[in-house]
Amino acid sequence: MKLLPANFGILVIVACSLLLVIIGCKEQNSAPIQPTPFTLEVPSHFPNPIYQTERNPFTREGFLLGKKIFHDTRLSRTQTISCASCHRQLHAFADGNQSVSTGIEGKTGKRNAPAIFNMAWNPYFMWDGGVNHIEVMPLAPLLNDTEMGETVVSILQKLRSDTSYVRMFNDAFHRDTIDDQQFFYALAQYMSHIISADSRYDQYIRKEIDFSASEQRGLLLFRQYCASCHTEPLFTDYSLRNNGLYLVYPDSGHYRVSRKPGDIGKFKVPTLRNIAVTDPYMHDGSIASLEDVIAHYTQNIKPHPNLDSLLKQGGKIGFSLTQDEKDDLMNFLLTLTDSNLLKNPVF
Amino acid sequence: MNRIIFLCSILAITVVSLSCKKGKEEKEVPSDNPHGNLAIKFHYAFAQTPGDFKLHQEVVHPQTGDTITFTNFKFYISNFKLKKADGTWWVHPESYYLADISDGDNSVFTIKDVPAGSYTAMEYVMGVDSTANVTGAQTGALSMAHGMFWDWLSGYIMVKAEGKSPQSVTKFFSFHLGGFAGEDNIVTVKQTNFNGQELKIADKQTAQISMRVNLATLWHDAPPLKDASAIHAPGPLAKKFATGFYQHGIDFSSID
């Protein structure tokens, strides 16, 4: 003992204490494993997303939970229909080839299932603009009797009695029980991550590829005739407009929301990204092909009193395009298909 | 050497338990200031019908003469504030309550952690403020699981009144009242001065006040059931029913 410095004992005590404090506190305060952050990658040529995620921080676990929910048929009343039943990846999460989709018990809806991608940029949702937030958007198809026909209470019961859901909700949100906020948070995370920004158009904009001469002419025609509503780079300005589909609208569109006569027949301008794989077209899926859509805007627009002013310029309804111009425009529209989105196993 | 290790261990364990405990305690106690709770109890009535009004009780409306039986009645009340004796307001955070007549004697909203003191007035909001209508998924009283949020037209159903009446064309009535923007806005700020009394909140105690909820006031300025028996969206008719109820159907009645 005498060989050691006088304060050696104290040094040992201090060192041991510090070590134990660190170990002891660490063990006692050990938090549950934190979910892995999974932030949204905003494409370089996109504006900032609308969806603010401070309340719902994106995580890998939240995304995977949302993915499982999106594809789970058990969540419908009859356990037969999932979100993915009518929003199919192969069709850019629209219900390809169906004018209106089939929900539970063979019932059909009234409107064409919209494509789901770039959702975080949407200021509102639904063809008529009735839904104001991405987190409450899934409520409509979940509750609608012709779609999934379920109640929130019943969905929560199903989730709480499923051990794999209990584990996944806990991994993602660390709450005592599963509640509907976490359910909608997870779906919002999954849907927000479905981003379409890698079509040939995007590659052209990023100067990675060249367009053919026809595609280039098509882009110029698009910018001249279409882009004021189908604005780049999201290919919609998110406005509600009447495009003269009918003289008398069986579905009154935005009027149902606003009850203003001037809103009869107004519907959300859909994005044209992936337009080649999301047929049929219009809010009711009444136009089968892209050729027919171009025919609508060149010769079939009906003079509804609420027809958008951009479609009746210079006292004339619709646009005049030669067959060559129509072909060029079509070739450009085909560059908007993001084939990576359609087959990416992440979704 | 053995003694040093022994001392070291004792000291370390003490330090560990002390240092770790401290951190925990600081989290659990929000403040040293004295505070109590305020319970707000809702008593349901139908015009002058004697006794507590309940679901499935047949009544006749004194104004319209309609025979009415309620099967469901819920409403949102929110954003409670209390006015201190010095004139400043204490604001209750996350202040949303879904009152339900079927809760009977348990239709009570308890506001926790109110600073102890005397209060001369209370402000509250009938309905759900516009911010909460555009915020997305929420919890507690604002959870979607209560069936009080429109799926097709985002916004809270702030009053849900459903029941039966022989005067209704369908024999049923269903009023889902809401609207938080523009001319459809039904959200109404109300105040009471406790009829001139002082509300005292004491440390670690729960004070209680009673409020009277009169369902007959839905028809204070609204058409009888033969003319209106279903409302499922915001609009002028929803506003008529809601305004009657909000202005005349809910009031402070006593400090208990």
Side-chain angles (χ1 to χ4, degrees):
Chain A
M1 283 296 279
K2 274 176 192 167
L3 295 171
L4 298 168
N7 56 359
F8 177 78
I10 295 165
L11 270 177
V12 169
I13 289 171
V14 170
C16 285
S17 307
L18 275 175
L19 195 69
L20 273 172
V21 166
I22 291 161
I23 295 169
C25 281
K26 223 179 201 170
E27 279 174 0
Q28 202 167 331
N29 290 350
S30 67
I33 300 155
Q34 288 303 309
T36 317
F38 188 32
T39 49
L40 215 57
E41 277 179 41
V42 178
S44 56
H45 55 304
F46 276 26
N48 288 328
I50 298 279
Y51 184 29
Q52 300 297 313
T53 61
E54 293 87 8
R55 291 165 64 250
N56 179 21
F58 284 12
T59 62
R60 176 74 50 185
E61 289 78 1
F63 169 85
L64 291 173
L65 174 59
K67 177 180 178 178
K68 182 178 164 78
I69 291 169
F70 191 88
H71 291 86
D72 192 344
T73 56
R74 289 175 300 166
L75 296 182
S76 63
R77 191 178 72 220
T78 53
Q79 315 212 359
T80 52
I81 302 286
S82 72
C83 307
S85 303
C86 305
H87 298 281
R88 298 184 284 158
Q89 185 176 7
L90 208 57
H91 296 278
F93 298 94
D95 197 2
N97 319 126
Q98 318 284 325
S99 51
V100 291
S101 299
T102 304
I104 58 166
E105 294 159 344
K107 295 172 186 165
T108 48
K110 287 179 184 156
R111 292 176 182 160
N112 185 244
I116 294 179
F117 53 80
N118 300 343
M119 296 287 275
W121 282 266
N122 275 251
Y124 64 87
F125 300 85
M126 302 297 162
W127 278 109
D128 59 15
V131 172
N132 66 21
H133 199 287
I134 188 173
E135 290 165 7
V136 301
M137 193 283 299
L139 200 62
L142 286 165
L143 267 54
N144 191 300
D145 197 47
T146 66
E147 297 180 50
M148 294 172 78
E150 199 38 292
T151 66
V152 175
V153 170
S154 172
I155 289 167
L156 290 178
Q157 280 168 354
K158 291 180 195 179
L159 298 172
R160 286 168 184 162
S161 62
D162 181 316
T163 49
S164 68
Y165 269 123
V166 170
R167 182 176 45 76
M168 289 180 77
F169 270 90
N170 193 43
D171 287 350
F173 297 108
H174 296 309
R175 290 192 198 167
D176 293 340
T177 52
I178 297 173
D179 63 35
D180 54 304
Q181 185 183 51
Q182 300 160 66
F183 173 80
F184 290 117
Y185 275 3
L187 273 174
Q189 292 196 26
Y190 172 69
M191 291 190 295
S192 296
H193 273 293
I194 305 176
I195 292 177
S196 183
D198 201 22
S199 63
R200 291 192 59 240
Y201 162 82
D202 297 296
Q203 293 162 10
Y204 170 78
I205 291 293
R206 294 196 300 254
K207 299 189 171 26
E208 294 163 9
I209 60 160
D210 288 324
F211 267 177
S212 71
S214 172
E215 288 166 345
Q216 274 188 17
R217 288 193 301 270
L219 172 59
L220 292 179
L221 287 165
F222 176 83
R223 285 179 173 160
Q224 183 180 350
Y225 293 111
C226 317
S228 43
C229 304
H230 297 286
T231 314
E232 298 166 69
L234 293 158
F235 289 86
T236 167
D237 67 349
Y238 299 107
S239 58
L240 294 143
R241 296 173 192 262
N242 180 314
N243 71 347
L245 195 58
Y246 300 108
L247 267 181
V248 178
Y249 276 82
D251 179 340
S252 64
H254 190 55
Y255 173 78
R256 186 176 179 231
V257 172
S258 73
R259 300 185 321 280
K260 292 188 178 120
D263 287 336
I264 292 173
K266 280 190 185 172
F267 292 90
K268 181 185 188 180
V269 174
T271 176
L272 297 189
R273 287 181 168 274
N274 301 297
I275 197 69
V277 296
T278 61
D279 60 293
Y281 304 103
M282 306 298 155
H283 69 273
D284 55 359
S286 59
I287 299 186
S289 70
L290 272 180
E291 287 81 0
D292 291 342
V293 172
I294 294 177
H296 169 75
Y297 285 110
T298 51
Q299 62 201 59
N300 293 335
I301 293 176
K302 311 289 187 298
H304 189 278
N306 295 339
L307 178 64
D308 199 88
S309 59
L310 290 170
L311 293 172
K312 46 180 179 188
Q313 288 183 325
K316 187 183 163 300
I317 287 181
F319 316 120
S320 298
L321 294 174
T322 66
Q323 188 54 50
D324 282 350
E325 286 174 327
K326 288 179 186 175
D327 291 345
D328 290 339
L329 185 57
M330 181 66 74
N331 283 333
F332 168 71
L333 292 175
L334 295 179
T335 72
L336 297 175
T337 303
D338 181 350
S339 41
N340 184 41
L341 174 83
L342 310 185
K343 53 179 196 250
N344 189 341
V346 167
F347 306 126
Chain B
M1 196 67 186
N2 277 344
R3 204 187 293 167
I4 292 175
I5 291 170
F6 178 74
L7 275 174
C8 163
S9 312
I10 296 282
L11 191 72
I13 288 165
T14 315
V15 171
V16 165
S17 46
L18 279 178
S19 61
C20 292
K21 227 180 202 167
K22 205 182 166 197
K24 258 194 166 176
E25 271 172 5
E26 274 170 0
K27 261 188 184 172
E28 279 164 11
V29 180
S31 85
D32 295 333
N33 296 328
H35 54 267
N37 302 325
L38 172 62
I40 298 167
K41 184 165 182 174
F42 298 93
H43 298 270
Y44 298 90
F46 192 87
Q48 302 306 316
T49 309
D52 284 346
F53 183 63
K54 292 184 173 66
L55 295 181
H56 311 295
Q57 180 184 343
E58 191 179 278
V59 283
V60 175
H61 196 279
Q63 249 170 283
T64 66
D66 289 341
T67 302
I68 296 166
T69 309
F70 277 87
T71 55
N72 188 11
F73 184 75
K74 293 176 189 164
F75 67 92
Y76 276 108
I77 185 165
S78 65
N79 293 286
F80 284 86
K81 292 180 191 176
L82 290 167
K83 192 179 192 179
K84 296 174 198 162
D86 67 5
T88 60
W89 289 88
W90 176 80
V91 179
H92 180 227
E94 287 306 304
S95 195
Y96 299 95
Y97 181 64
L98 178 57
D100 185 342
I101 191 172
S102 69
D103 289 341
D105 280 347
N106 297 320
S107 188
V108 179
F109 179 35
T110 302
I111 298 176
K112 289 187 174 153
D113 298 329
V114 183
S118 291
Y119 296 91
T120 58
M122 180 173 79
E123 187 184 286
Y124 55 97
V125 170
M126 293 307 294
V128 176
D129 55 273
S130 65
T131 306
N133 279 278
V134 299
T135 300
Q138 291 166 86
T139 56
L142 297 177
S143 154
M144 303 286 155
H146 302 300
M148 296 294 282
F149 194 88
W150 277 301
D151 58 350
W152 62 277
L153 178 58
S154 298
Y156 282 93
I157 298 168
M158 302 181 198
V159 180
K160 193 182 252 191
E162 295 167 330
K164 299 178 280 188
S165 169
Q167 281 77 32
S168 159
V169 179
T170 60
K171 307 299 169 201
F172 294 93
F173 66 88
S174 170
F175 300 128
H176 295 184
L177 313 179
F180 59 88
E183 54 194 23
D184 290 342
N185 185 14
I186 63 167
V187 181
T188 304
V189 181
K190 295 198 71 172
Q191 235 186 68
T192 172
N193 67 351
F194 307 120
N195 296 341
Q197 303 165 74
E198 275 201 342
L199 171 70
K200 290 195 170 58
I201 303 287
D203 193 22
K204 299 183 184 72
Q205 306 285 309
T206 298
Q208 183 175 297
I209 64 171
S210 284
M211 296 188 79
R212 184 170 186 266
V213 182
N214 177 3
L215 280 65
T217 56
L218 283 164
W219 288 273
H220 187 271
D221 185 34
L225 281 157
K226 69 176 171 57
D227 297 327
S229 59
I231 302 172
H232 289 104
L237 203 53
K239 204 167 177 177
K240 274 194 171 170
F241 280 88
T243 305
F245 173 57
Y246 284 176
Q247 295 297 343
H248 308 282
I250 179 139
D251 275 304
F252 165 81
S253 64
S254 61
I255 296 176
D256 304 329

